Amino acid sequence: QVQLVESGGGLAQAGGSLRLSCAASGSIVTINSMTWQRQAPGNQRELVAQVRSDGASNYGDSVKGRFTVSRDTAKNIMYLQMDNLKVEDTAVYYCKVICQTGTPGRLSAYWGQGTQVTVSA
């Protein structure tokens, strides 16, 4: 199986920065993509950022220009650098990994437990 451990959440002031990490471990053969999603109370889960196996990345519209996603391929760790934070960035941030663990060509999705990010005015 695959384990995802998220860290780096916490409290920040508006305009400040935080850096999240997601470390993937276990029976991973190859990673197809790593994704950050977030969910605020009463809202649906939304895309924050994604980085794919070819290094390409994409972002949700609300974070473009403020957040940067990166990945340490050797260590299977994904980072999310969050700058110029806004109160509306307050949410639980989840890491999702799509990877191959056994059967060639078969991909599975795994989720982390989530980490709380709270931004105060």
Side-chain angles (χ1 to χ4, degrees):
Q1 291 299 322
V2 174
Q3 296 80 42
L4 302 180
V5 178
E6 298 139 332
S7 60
L11 178 65
Q13 289 188 328
S17 298
L18 285 173
R19 190 191 195 205
L20 305 183
S21 299
C22 171
S25 62
S27 305
I28 298 171
V29 176
T30 60
I31 291 180
N32 176 273
S33 65
M34 300 184 80
T35 303
W36 287 104
Q37 295 188 347
R38 69 186 182 186
Q39 187 167 20
N43 291 354
Q44 292 186 335
R45 194 169 293 192
E46 64 174 354
L47 170 71
V48 176
Q50 180 187 71
V51 58
R52 296 184 291 278
S53 58
D54 61 359
S57 59
N58 60 288
Y59 297 87
D61 289 340
S62 62
V63 306
K64 286 180 180 177
R66 300 188 297 120
F67 291 8
T68 304
V69 65
S70 61
R71 178 182 163 187
D72 184 330
T73 304
K75 297 181 179 179
N76 287 338
I77 300 176
M78 175 177 61
Y79 302 98
L80 183 68
Q81 179 65 40
M82 305 186 293
D83 297 319
N84 191 19
L85 284 163
K86 301 178 180 181
V87 172
E88 50 264 42
D89 293 321
T90 297
V92 178
Y93 285 68
Y94 296 92
C95 172
K96 174 185 175 182
V97 170
I98 297 178
C99 60
Q100 177 185 328
T101 58
T103 305
R106 179 175 179 178
L107 300 176
S108 299
Y110 298 89
W111 291 91
Q113 79 285 357
T115 185
Q116 176 70 45
V117 170
T118 302
V119 183
S120 62

Short mmCIF file of all heavy atoms in Angstrom, two decimals, residues 58-112:
data_model
loop_
_atom_site.label_atom_id
_atom_site.label_comp_id
_atom_site.label_asym_id
_atom_site.label_seq_id
_atom_site.Cartn_x
_atom_site.Cartn_y
_atom_site.Cartn_z
N ASN A 58 -0.18 22.47 -13.06
CA ASN A 58 -1.29 23.38 -13.30
C ASN A 58 -1.89 23.77 -11.96
O ASN A 58 -1.67 23.09 -10.95
CB ASN A 58 -2.34 22.76 -14.23
CG ASN A 58 -2.93 21.48 -13.70
OD1 ASN A 58 -2.28 20.45 -13.68
ND2 ASN A 58 -4.18 21.55 -13.25
N TYR A 59 -2.62 24.88 -11.96
CA TYR A 59 -3.11 25.49 -10.73
C TYR A 59 -4.58 25.86 -10.84
O TYR A 59 -5.09 26.14 -11.92
CB TYR A 59 -2.32 26.77 -10.43
CG TYR A 59 -0.85 26.54 -10.19
CD1 TYR A 59 0.06 26.51 -11.24
CD2 TYR A 59 -0.37 26.34 -8.90
CE1 TYR A 59 1.40 26.29 -11.02
CE2 TYR A 59 0.97 26.12 -8.66
CZ TYR A 59 1.86 26.10 -9.73
OH TYR A 59 3.19 25.88 -9.49
N GLY A 60 -5.22 25.88 -9.68
CA GLY A 60 -6.56 26.44 -9.62
C GLY A 60 -6.48 27.94 -9.84
O GLY A 60 -5.50 28.58 -9.48
N ASP A 61 -7.54 28.49 -10.42
CA ASP A 61 -7.53 29.92 -10.77
C ASP A 61 -7.29 30.81 -9.55
O ASP A 61 -6.64 31.86 -9.66
CB ASP A 61 -8.85 30.30 -11.43
CG ASP A 61 -8.99 29.72 -12.83
OD1 ASP A 61 -7.95 29.35 -13.43
OD2 ASP A 61 -10.12 29.62 -13.32
N SER A 62 -7.81 30.42 -8.40
CA SER A 62 -7.73 31.28 -7.22
C SER A 62 -6.33 31.38 -6.63
O SER A 62 -6.07 32.25 -5.80
CB SER A 62 -8.71 30.80 -6.16
OG SER A 62 -8.38 29.49 -5.74
N VAL A 63 -5.42 30.49 -7.03
CA VAL A 63 -4.08 30.50 -6.44
C VAL A 63 -2.98 30.82 -7.45
O VAL A 63 -1.81 30.94 -7.07
CB VAL A 63 -3.76 29.16 -5.75
CG1 VAL A 63 -4.85 28.81 -4.75
CG2 VAL A 63 -3.56 28.04 -6.76
N LYS A 64 -3.34 30.96 -8.70
CA LYS A 64 -2.34 31.25 -9.73
C LYS A 64 -1.57 32.52 -9.39
O LYS A 64 -2.16 33.53 -9.01
CB LYS A 64 -3.01 31.38 -11.09
CG LYS A 64 -3.45 30.06 -11.70
CD LYS A 64 -4.11 30.27 -13.05
CE LYS A 64 -4.56 28.94 -13.65
NZ LYS A 64 -5.26 29.11 -14.94
N GLY A 65 -0.26 32.44 -9.52
CA GLY A 65 0.58 33.59 -9.24
C GLY A 65 0.97 33.74 -7.78
O GLY A 65 1.82 34.55 -7.43
N ARG A 66 0.34 32.96 -6.89
CA ARG A 66 0.65 33.03 -5.46
C ARG A 66 1.23 31.73 -4.92
O ARG A 66 2.06 31.76 -4.01
CB ARG A 66 -0.62 33.38 -4.68
CG ARG A 66 -1.25 34.70 -5.06
CD ARG A 66 -2.39 35.06 -4.11
NE ARG A 66 -3.49 34.10 -4.16
CZ ARG A 66 -3.91 33.39 -3.12
NH1 ARG A 66 -3.34 33.54 -1.94
NH2 ARG A 66 -4.93 32.54 -3.24
N PHE A 67 0.80 30.62 -5.46
CA PHE A 67 1.25 29.31 -4.98
C PHE A 67 2.16 28.67 -6.03
O PHE A 67 1.95 28.85 -7.23
CB PHE A 67 0.07 28.38 -4.73
CG PHE A 67 -0.81 28.75 -3.56
CD1 PHE A 67 -0.65 29.95 -2.88
CD2 PHE A 67 -1.80 27.88 -3.14
CE1 PHE A 67 -1.45 30.29 -1.81
CE2 PHE A 67 -2.61 28.19 -2.07
CZ PHE A 67 -2.44 29.41 -1.41
N THR A 68 3.12 27.89 -5.54
CA THR A 68 4.02 27.17 -6.44
C THR A 68 4.14 25.72 -5.98
O THR A 68 4.47 25.47 -4.81
CB THR A 68 5.42 27.81 -6.45
OG1 THR A 68 5.31 29.19 -6.81
CG2 THR A 68 6.32 27.10 -7.44
N VAL A 69 3.88 24.81 -6.88
CA VAL A 69 3.99 23.38 -6.57
C VAL A 69 5.31 22.86 -7.15
O VAL A 69 5.74 23.28 -8.23
CB VAL A 69 2.80 22.59 -7.13
CG1 VAL A 69 2.76 22.61 -8.66
CG2 VAL A 69 2.79 21.16 -6.60
N SER A 70 5.95 21.99 -6.39
CA SER A 70 7.18 21.37 -6.86
C SER A 70 7.26 19.94 -6.33
O SER A 70 6.48 19.55 -5.46
CB SER A 70 8.41 22.18 -6.42
OG SER A 70 8.47 22.23 -5.00
N ARG A 71 8.22 19.20 -6.86
CA ARG A 71 8.31 17.80 -6.48
C ARG A 71 9.77 17.35 -6.46
O ARG A 71 10.55 17.70 -7.35
CB ARG A 71 7.52 16.95 -7.49
CG ARG A 71 7.58 15.45 -7.25
CD ARG A 71 6.81 14.72 -8.35
NE ARG A 71 7.17 13.32 -8.39
CZ ARG A 71 6.77 12.46 -9.32
NH1 ARG A 71 5.98 12.88 -10.30
NH2 ARG A 71 7.14 11.21 -9.29
N ASP A 72 10.10 16.62 -5.41
CA ASP A 72 11.39 15.94 -5.33
C ASP A 72 11.15 14.51 -5.80
O ASP A 72 10.64 13.68 -5.04
CB ASP A 72 11.91 15.98 -3.89
CG ASP A 72 13.30 15.37 -3.76
OD1 ASP A 72 13.62 14.45 -4.54
OD2 ASP A 72 14.04 15.80 -2.87
N THR A 73 11.49 14.24 -7.05
CA THR A 73 11.17 12.95 -7.66
C THR A 73 11.88 11.81 -6.95
O THR A 73 11.31 10.73 -6.77
CB THR A 73 11.55 12.97 -9.15
OG1 THR A 73 10.87 14.06 -9.79
CG2 THR A 73 11.16 11.67 -9.82
N ALA A 74 13.10 12.03 -6.55
CA ALA A 74 13.88 10.96 -5.92
C ALA A 74 13.29 10.53 -4.59
O ALA A 74 13.36 9.37 -4.20
CB ALA A 74 15.32 11.41 -5.75
N LYS A 75 12.70 11.49 -3.87
CA LYS A 75 12.17 11.21 -2.53
C LYS A 75 10.65 11.06 -2.51
O LYS A 75 10.07 10.78 -1.47
CB LYS A 75 12.58 12.32 -1.57
CG LYS A 75 14.08 12.45 -1.36
CD LYS A 75 14.40 13.57 -0.37
CE LYS A 75 15.90 13.69 -0.15
NZ LYS A 75 16.23 14.79 0.79
N ASN A 76 10.02 11.25 -3.66
CA ASN A 76 8.54 11.20 -3.73
C ASN A 76 7.89 12.17 -2.75
O ASN A 76 6.97 11.80 -2.00
CB ASN A 76 8.04 9.76 -3.50
CG ASN A 76 8.32 8.85 -4.67
OD1 ASN A 76 8.50 9.31 -5.80
ND2 ASN A 76 8.36 7.56 -4.41
N ILE A 77 8.39 13.38 -2.74
CA ILE A 77 7.82 14.43 -1.89
C ILE A 77 7.33 15.56 -2.78
O ILE A 77 8.03 15.99 -3.70
CB ILE A 77 8.85 14.98 -0.89
CG1 ILE A 77 9.35 13.86 0.03
CG2 ILE A 77 8.23 16.10 -0.05
CD1 ILE A 77 10.45 14.32 0.98
N MET A 78 6.15 16.04 -2.49
CA MET A 78 5.59 17.19 -3.20
C MET A 78 5.50 18.36 -2.22
O MET A 78 5.15 18.16 -1.05
CB MET A 78 4.19 16.86 -3.75
CG MET A 78 3.48 18.04 -4.39
SD MET A 78 1.89 17.60 -5.11
CE MET A 78 0.98 17.01 -3.69
N TYR A 79 5.81 19.53 -2.70
CA TYR A 79 5.76 20.72 -1.89
C TYR A 79 4.74 21.71 -2.47
O TYR A 79 4.49 21.74 -3.67
CB TYR A 79 7.12 21.40 -1.84
CG TYR A 79 8.22 20.52 -1.31
CD1 TYR A 79 9.08 19.85 -2.18
CD2 TYR A 79 8.41 20.36 0.06
CE1 TYR A 79 10.10 19.04 -1.70
CE2 TYR A 79 9.43 19.55 0.54
CZ TYR A 79 10.27 18.89 -0.34
OH TYR A 79 11.26 18.09 0.15
N LEU A 80 4.20 22.53 -1.59
CA LEU A 80 3.35 23.62 -2.02
C LEU A 80 3.79 24.87 -1.28
O LEU A 80 3.58 24.98 -0.06
CB LEU A 80 1.87 23.33 -1.75
CG LEU A 80 0.91 24.41 -2.25
CD1 LEU A 80 0.89 24.43 -3.79
CD2 LEU A 80 -0.50 24.18 -1.71
N GLN A 81 4.43 25.77 -1.99
CA GLN A 81 4.83 27.05 -1.43
C GLN A 81 3.67 28.02 -1.61
O GLN A 81 3.28 28.30 -2.75
CB GLN A 81 6.09 27.58 -2.12
CG GLN A 81 6.55 28.93 -1.61
CD GLN A 81 7.00 28.91 -0.17
OE1 GLN A 81 7.66 27.97 0.26
NE2 GLN A 81 6.64 29.94 0.58
N MET A 82 3.16 28.50 -0.51
CA MET A 82 2.00 29.38 -0.54
C MET A 82 2.42 30.78 -0.08
O MET A 82 2.79 30.96 1.09
CB MET A 82 0.88 28.84 0.36
CG MET A 82 0.48 27.40 0.02
SD MET A 82 -0.94 26.81 0.96
CE MET A 82 -0.24 26.76 2.61
N ASP A 83 2.39 31.71 -0.97
CA ASP A 83 2.76 33.10 -0.68
C ASP A 83 1.57 34.02 -0.83
O ASP A 83 0.58 33.67 -1.47
CB ASP A 83 3.88 33.54 -1.62
CG ASP A 83 5.15 32.73 -1.46
OD1 ASP A 83 5.52 32.44 -0.31
OD2 ASP A 83 5.79 32.40 -2.48
N ASN A 84 1.69 35.19 -0.24
CA ASN A 84 0.60 36.18 -0.30
C ASN A 84 -0.73 35.53 0.07
O ASN A 84 -1.74 35.66 -0.65
CB ASN A 84 0.52 36.80 -1.68
CG ASN A 84 -0.38 38.01 -1.74
OD1 ASN A 84 -0.68 38.62 -0.71
ND2 ASN A 84 -0.83 38.36 -2.94
N LEU A 85 -0.74 34.85 1.19
CA LEU A 85 -1.94 34.13 1.62
C LEU A 85 -3.09 35.08 1.87
O LEU A 85 -2.91 36.23 2.31
CB LEU A 85 -1.64 33.33 2.89
CG LEU A 85 -0.83 32.04 2.67
CD1 LEU A 85 -0.22 31.56 3.98
CD2 LEU A 85 -1.70 30.96 2.06
N LYS A 86 -4.29 34.57 1.60
CA LYS A 86 -5.51 35.32 1.82
C LYS A 86 -6.40 34.56 2.80
O LYS A 86 -6.27 33.34 2.94
CB LYS A 86 -6.25 35.51 0.50
CG LYS A 86 -5.45 36.24 -0.57
CD LYS A 86 -6.24 36.36 -1.86
CE LYS A 86 -5.44 37.10 -2.93
NZ LYS A 86 -6.20 37.24 -4.20
N VAL A 87 -7.29 35.29 3.43
CA VAL A 87 -8.19 34.66 4.39
C VAL A 87 -8.97 33.52 3.72
O VAL A 87 -9.20 32.46 4.32
CB VAL A 87 -9.16 35.69 4.99
CG1 VAL A 87 -10.22 35.01 5.83
CG2 VAL A 87 -8.40 36.72 5.81
N GLU A 88 -9.31 33.72 2.47
CA GLU A 88 -10.09 32.70 1.75
C GLU A 88 -9.28 31.46 1.38
O GLU A 88 -9.83 30.50 0.84
CB GLU A 88 -10.72 33.30 0.48
CG GLU A 88 -9.76 34.05 -0.40
CD GLU A 88 -9.80 35.55 -0.13
OE1 GLU A 88 -9.85 35.95 1.06
OE2 GLU A 88 -9.74 36.33 -1.11
N ASP A 89 -7.99 31.45 1.69
CA ASP A 89 -7.19 30.23 1.51
C ASP A 89 -7.37 29.26 2.69
O ASP A 89 -6.85 28.14 2.65
CB ASP A 89 -5.71 30.58 1.38
CG ASP A 89 -5.40 31.34 0.11
OD1 ASP A 89 -5.98 31.01 -0.94
OD2 ASP A 89 -4.56 32.27 0.17
N THR A 90 -8.05 29.71 3.71
CA THR A 90 -8.30 28.86 4.87
C THR A 90 -9.08 27.62 4.47
O THR A 90 -10.16 27.72 3.88
CB THR A 90 -9.08 29.63 5.95
OG1 THR A 90 -8.28 30.72 6.41
CG2 THR A 90 -9.43 28.72 7.12
N ALA A 91 -8.52 26.45 4.75
CA ALA A 91 -9.13 25.19 4.36
C ALA A 91 -8.29 24.05 4.89
O ALA A 91 -7.18 24.25 5.40
CB ALA A 91 -9.23 25.09 2.84
N VAL A 92 -8.82 22.84 4.74
CA VAL A 92 -8.01 21.65 4.94
C VAL A 92 -7.41 21.29 3.58
O VAL A 92 -8.14 21.18 2.59
CB VAL A 92 -8.83 20.47 5.49
CG1 VAL A 92 -7.95 19.23 5.62
CG2 VAL A 92 -9.44 20.84 6.84
N TYR A 93 -6.11 21.12 3.56
CA TYR A 93 -5.40 20.82 2.31
C TYR A 93 -5.07 19.33 2.28
O TYR A 93 -4.48 18.79 3.23
CB TYR A 93 -4.13 21.65 2.21
CG TYR A 93 -4.41 23.09 1.86
CD1 TYR A 93 -5.07 23.93 2.76
CD2 TYR A 93 -4.04 23.61 0.62
CE1 TYR A 93 -5.35 25.25 2.43
CE2 TYR A 93 -4.31 24.92 0.29
CZ TYR A 93 -4.97 25.74 1.19
OH TYR A 93 -5.26 27.05 0.86
N TYR A 94 -5.44 18.69 1.18
CA TYR A 94 -5.24 17.26 1.01
C TYR A 94 -4.27 16.97 -0.12
O TYR A 94 -4.30 17.63 -1.17
CB TYR A 94 -6.57 16.57 0.69
CG TYR A 94 -7.61 16.66 1.77
CD1 TYR A 94 -8.54 17.69 1.78
CD2 TYR A 94 -7.65 15.72 2.79
CE1 TYR A 94 -9.50 17.77 2.78
CE2 TYR A 94 -8.61 15.79 3.79
CZ TYR A 94 -9.53 16.82 3.77
OH TYR A 94 -10.48 16.90 4.77
N CYS A 95 -3.46 15.97 0.09
CA CYS A 95 -2.55 15.49 -0.92
C CYS A 95 -3.15 14.24 -1.57
O CYS A 95 -3.69 13.37 -0.88
CB CYS A 95 -1.21 15.14 -0.27
SG CYS A 95 -0.03 14.30 -1.33
N LYS A 96 -3.07 14.17 -2.87
CA LYS A 96 -3.56 13.01 -3.61
C LYS A 96 -2.46 12.55 -4.56
O LYS A 96 -1.83 13.37 -5.24
CB LYS A 96 -4.80 13.37 -4.42
CG LYS A 96 -5.30 12.27 -5.35
CD LYS A 96 -6.46 12.76 -6.20
CE LYS A 96 -6.91 11.75 -7.22
NZ LYS A 96 -8.01 12.26 -8.07
N VAL A 97 -2.24 11.26 -4.58
CA VAL A 97 -1.23 10.69 -5.47
C VAL A 97 -1.88 9.61 -6.34
O VAL A 97 -2.63 8.79 -5.84
CB VAL A 97 -0.06 10.08 -4.67
CG1 VAL A 97 0.86 9.28 -5.58
CG2 VAL A 97 0.71 11.17 -3.96
N ILE A 98 -1.60 9.66 -7.62
CA ILE A 98 -2.00 8.59 -8.53
C ILE A 98 -0.73 7.89 -8.96
O ILE A 98 0.20 8.51 -9.49
CB ILE A 98 -2.77 9.14 -9.75
CG1 ILE A 98 -4.07 9.78 -9.29
CG2 ILE A 98 -3.05 8.02 -10.74
CD1 ILE A 98 -4.89 10.39 -10.40
N CYS A 99 -0.68 6.59 -8.70
CA CYS A 99 0.56 5.87 -8.94
C CYS A 99 0.29 4.42 -9.29
O CYS A 99 -0.81 3.90 -9.12
CB CYS A 99 1.47 5.95 -7.71
SG CYS A 99 0.75 5.24 -6.22
N GLN A 100 1.35 3.79 -9.80
CA GLN A 100 1.33 2.36 -10.06
C GLN A 100 2.03 1.65 -8.91
O GLN A 100 3.13 2.03 -8.54
CB GLN A 100 2.04 2.06 -11.38
CG GLN A 100 2.13 0.58 -11.72
CD GLN A 100 2.94 0.33 -12.96
OE1 GLN A 100 2.97 1.14 -13.89
NE2 GLN A 100 3.63 -0.80 -12.99
N THR A 101 1.37 0.65 -8.36
CA THR A 101 1.96 -0.06 -7.23
C THR A 101 2.26 -1.52 -7.54
O THR A 101 3.06 -2.14 -6.85
CB THR A 101 1.04 -0.02 -6.01
OG1 THR A 101 -0.23 -0.60 -6.36
CG2 THR A 101 0.82 1.41 -5.55
N GLY A 102 1.61 -2.10 -8.53
CA GLY A 102 1.81 -3.52 -8.78
C GLY A 102 1.59 -3.87 -10.22
O GLY A 102 2.52 -3.88 -11.02
N THR A 103 0.35 -4.14 -10.57
CA THR A 103 0.01 -4.55 -11.92
C THR A 103 0.45 -3.49 -12.92
O THR A 103 0.05 -2.34 -12.81
CB THR A 103 -1.50 -4.77 -12.05
OG1 THR A 103 -1.92 -5.70 -11.06
CG2 THR A 103 -1.84 -5.29 -13.43
N PRO A 104 1.28 -3.86 -13.87
CA PRO A 104 1.74 -2.89 -14.87
C PRO A 104 0.57 -2.21 -15.57
O PRO A 104 -0.38 -2.87 -16.00
CB PRO A 104 2.55 -3.75 -15.85
CG PRO A 104 3.02 -4.89 -15.02
CD PRO A 104 1.89 -5.18 -14.06
N GLY A 105 0.63 -0.91 -15.65
CA GLY A 105 -0.41 -0.15 -16.33
C GLY A 105 -1.61 0.18 -15.49
O GLY A 105 -2.47 0.95 -15.91
N ARG A 106 -1.69 -0.38 -14.30
CA ARG A 106 -2.84 -0.10 -13.44
C ARG A 106 -2.48 0.99 -12.46
O ARG A 106 -1.52 0.87 -11.71
CB ARG A 106 -3.27 -1.35 -12.68
CG ARG A 106 -4.46 -1.12 -11.76
CD ARG A 106 -4.93 -2.40 -11.11
NE ARG A 106 -6.05 -2.16 -10.21
CZ ARG A 106 -6.68 -3.13 -9.54
NH1 ARG A 106 -6.30 -4.39 -9.69
NH2 ARG A 106 -7.69 -2.84 -8.75
N LEU A 107 -3.28 2.05 -12.46
CA LEU A 107 -3.04 3.18 -11.57
C LEU A 107 -4.08 3.22 -10.47
O LEU A 107 -5.25 2.89 -10.69
CB LEU A 107 -3.08 4.49 -12.37
CG LEU A 107 -2.05 4.62 -13.49
CD1 LEU A 107 -2.27 5.92 -14.25
CD2 LEU A 107 -0.63 4.55 -12.94
N SER A 108 -3.66 3.63 -9.29
CA SER A 108 -4.56 3.78 -8.15
C SER A 108 -4.36 5.15 -7.52
O SER A 108 -3.27 5.73 -7.61
CB SER A 108 -4.31 2.69 -7.11
OG SER A 108 -4.52 1.40 -7.66
N ALA A 109 -5.41 5.64 -6.87
CA ALA A 109 -5.35 6.94 -6.20
C ALA A 109 -5.31 6.76 -4.70
O ALA A 109 -6.00 5.90 -4.14
CB ALA A 109 -6.56 7.79 -6.59
N TYR A 110 -4.49 7.58 -4.06
CA TYR A 110 -4.36 7.56 -2.60
C TYR A 110 -4.45 8.99 -2.08
O TYR A 110 -4.00 9.94 -2.74
CB TYR A 110 -3.02 6.96 -2.19
CG TYR A 110 -2.86 5.52 -2.64
CD1 TYR A 110 -2.34 5.21 -3.89
CD2 TYR A 110 -3.26 4.46 -1.82
CE1 TYR A 110 -2.22 3.90 -4.32
CE2 TYR A 110 -3.14 3.15 -2.24
CZ TYR A 110 -2.62 2.87 -3.49
OH TYR A 110 -2.51 1.57 -3.90
N TRP A 111 -5.02 9.11 -0.86
CA TRP A 111 -5.24 10.42 -0.26
C TRP A 111 -4.53 10.51 1.09
O TRP A 111 -4.47 9.52 1.83
CB TRP A 111 -6.73 10.66 -0.02
CG TRP A 111 -7.52 10.83 -1.27
CD1 TRP A 111 -8.14 9.88 -1.99
CD2 TRP A 111 -7.78 12.07 -1.95
NE1 TRP A 111 -8.77 10.42 -3.07
CE2 TRP A 111 -8.57 11.77 -3.08
CE3 TRP A 111 -7.44 13.40 -1.69
CZ2 TRP A 111 -9.01 12.75 -3.96
CZ3 TRP A 111 -7.87 14.36 -2.57
CH2 TRP A 111 -8.65 14.03 -3.69
N GLY A 112 -4.03 11.69 1.39
CA GLY A 112 -3.50 11.94 2.72
C GLY A 112 -4.62 12.30 3.67
O GLY A 112 -5.78 12.44 3.28
#
